[in-house]
Amino acid sequence: MKTAIFPGSFDPFTIGHASIVERGLPLFDQIVIGVGINESKRSLYSIGERVEAIRALYAGEPRIRVVSYDDLTIDLARREGAQFILRGLRSVKDFEYERDIANMNERLAGIETVLLFTEPQYASISSSVVRELIAFGKDVTDFLPHRPQP
Ligand code: ADP
């Protein structure tokens, strides 16, 4: 069983994140979305709210699970039996950071990182920009994924 962890803060989970998950599904049997608890980052939504929102979004998709974690992504991967880490790459700004973490995760745990380039229409969407818009009372529905209506 090929399992990937998709780790992140997801504060909030945007259409950019959703696009990476959807494009990752054909590559793996299972994707575990890991919502990281990072005490040093000030968050807008609580961990519980983030996990619930993402779970509701993928309620109809048995190949996607959502968990929270407060240790290293490689430790989560070990617990979940995952061999891969899935990440999205928006720009050269993301690149060096992702390369360093990927190298370290491979070295420490033999876990491969699979990077997907962001689709161009999502390249400028980040949780931090969405948080800022929310803080100033702007409508962000266009940037948040919505469950397809049955
Ligand atoms: P982190 O705090 O770990 O960077 P984020 O929630 O910001 O967590 O992002 C999680 C993952 O989703 C990262 O790999 C990030 O590059 C990717 N990502 C974020 N925004 C987008 C986007 N608009 N398009 C594609 N990937 C994205």
Side-chain angles (χ1 to χ4, degrees), residues 49-114:
E49 286 173 325
R50 282 179 255 164
V51 168
E52 283 317 309
I54 306 169
R55 272 192 191 144
L57 188 63
Y58 293 117
E61 178 46 83
R63 295 197 297 133
I64 298 176
R65 282 193 300 118
V66 188
V67 299
S68 62
Y69 70 109
D70 63 0
D71 49 0
L72 292 174
T73 304
I74 52 172
D75 294 324
L76 174 66
R78 226 178 253 136
R79 279 200 295 282
E80 297 289 343
Q83 309 89 337
F84 303 96
I85 291 172
L86 174 64
R87 296 280 288 178
L89 207 57
R90 277 165 295 188
S91 63
V92 286
K93 230 171 73 192
D94 284 346
F95 173 80
E96 294 202 359
Y97 175 76
E98 295 296 340
R99 182 200 54 199
D100 290 348
I101 305 268
N103 284 341
M104 197 50 88
N105 288 340
E106 206 283 324
R107 181 172 163 171
L108 293 177
I111 289 180
E112 289 288 2
T113 297
V114 175

Side-chain angles (χ1 to χ4, degrees), residues 6-10 16-17 20 41 87-88 90 94 118 122 125:
F6 182 44
S9 311
F10 306 123
H17 295 131
I20 297 294
K41 264 191 182 175
R87 296 280 288 178
R90 277 165 295 188
D94 284 346
T118 304
Y122 301 135
I125 300 173

